[in-house]
Amino acid sequence: MTGAIEFLGRGGPAMWAIAALSIATLALILWKLWRLSLAGAWSGKTTRQAVALWVSGDVKAAQAALAGRFSLRARVAAAAMAARLDPALSDDLAREETTRVARRVLADARTGLKALDLIATIAPLLGLLGTVLGMIAAFQALQDSGAQADPAILAGGIWQALLTTAAGMAVAIPAAMALAWYESVIDRAEADAEDAATQIFTRMPQAAPMRNAAE
């Protein structure tokens, strides 16, 4: 513990800020993984089965398959079925209602991604700031030493200053990797949800005849 505090102290205030960001990054990555797991971001089998039941004409079984499901795909598919069967909604209004639900679900899924993006952006900048401040301090020490300047003093100050750059990159890289992965997972879920909703509206069973906007 003492060694870690001493290491952070060598980097100055910027190193402490980066250390705080590293803790926030780890917590955010784990929290987002947990949230996406709860949202069923990696599960789509039930939704595919429900859509197949819908297309085959078994509307009640299709809705029953999605009842109580909280995955991204299932929530959008259930909303599409409910809107499609609502006699008070025209086809256009049913599509708009489904789009509204899908946008809300996807917005919830993307919660926290902007924070990861921000961390991936500012962590290297904090590291660079710490390096610049450290270099300034090192050259000031060299200037104060006058004619008896020791190159070892300058070298020691420079490597300590560079610690913050390395630390900033060490935080930014995993944050950027996690961000890219989570975005790909959500994009895949969005594509699957859009495909399910499209099938629900374009491949109507006999029990749910197509309505038009004029109705």
Side-chain angles (χ1 to χ4, degrees):
M1 183 66 178
T2 304
I5 295 177
E6 181 181 355
F7 176 78
L8 293 175
R10 290 180 177 179
M15 183 66 84
W16 287 100
I18 293 171
L21 273 183
S22 68
I23 297 174
T25 301
L26 178 60
L28 187 57
I29 290 174
L30 295 177
W31 173 79
K32 193 60 189 175
L33 182 63
W34 174 66
R35 283 291 301 270
L36 288 177
S37 297
L38 290 180
W42 292 276
S43 61
K45 182 178 179 180
T46 300
T47 302
R48 290 193 297 270
Q49 292 175 344
V51 172
L53 289 170
W54 171 273
V55 172
S56 68
D58 197 345
V59 175
K60 290 184 178 180
Q63 289 185 301
L66 297 177
R69 298 286 179 174
F70 296 99
S71 71
L72 304 176
R73 300 167 180 84
R75 290 168 65 185
V76 174
M81 291 180 185
R84 181 63 188 84
L85 294 173
D86 190 344
L89 297 177
S90 67
D91 186 57
D92 289 342
L93 290 178
R95 290 176 185 272
E96 289 181 9
E97 174 63 16
T98 303
T99 300
R100 182 189 67 82
V101 173
R103 286 175 178 171
R104 186 182 66 221
V105 169
L106 291 171
D108 291 341
R110 289 191 169 94
T111 301
L113 295 188
K114 287 187 177 181
L116 275 177
D117 188 22
L118 181 62
I119 290 173
T121 300
I122 67 173
L125 295 179
L126 279 175
L128 181 59
L129 175 63
T131 296
V132 171
L133 294 177
M135 294 288 288
I136 291 174
F139 280 110
Q140 283 179 337
L142 183 64
Q143 181 183 16
D144 293 340
S145 62
Q148 298 179 349
D150 185 356
I153 297 177
L154 179 60
I158 291 175
W159 79 259
Q160 288 185 7
L162 291 174
L163 284 177
T164 57
T165 297
M169 294 177 66
V171 173
I173 291 173
M177 291 176 63
L179 175 63
W181 181 46
Y182 289 148
E183 284 183 336
S184 68
V185 169
I186 295 172
D187 287 345
R188 175 62 183 273
E190 180 181 5
D192 290 346
E194 182 179 356
D195 179 70
T198 300
Q199 290 189 66
I200 291 169
F201 276 96
T202 59
R203 302 176 64 183
M204 298 299 175
Q206 293 296 324
M210 177 69 76
R211 297 186 298 271
N212 54 50
E215 296 177 341

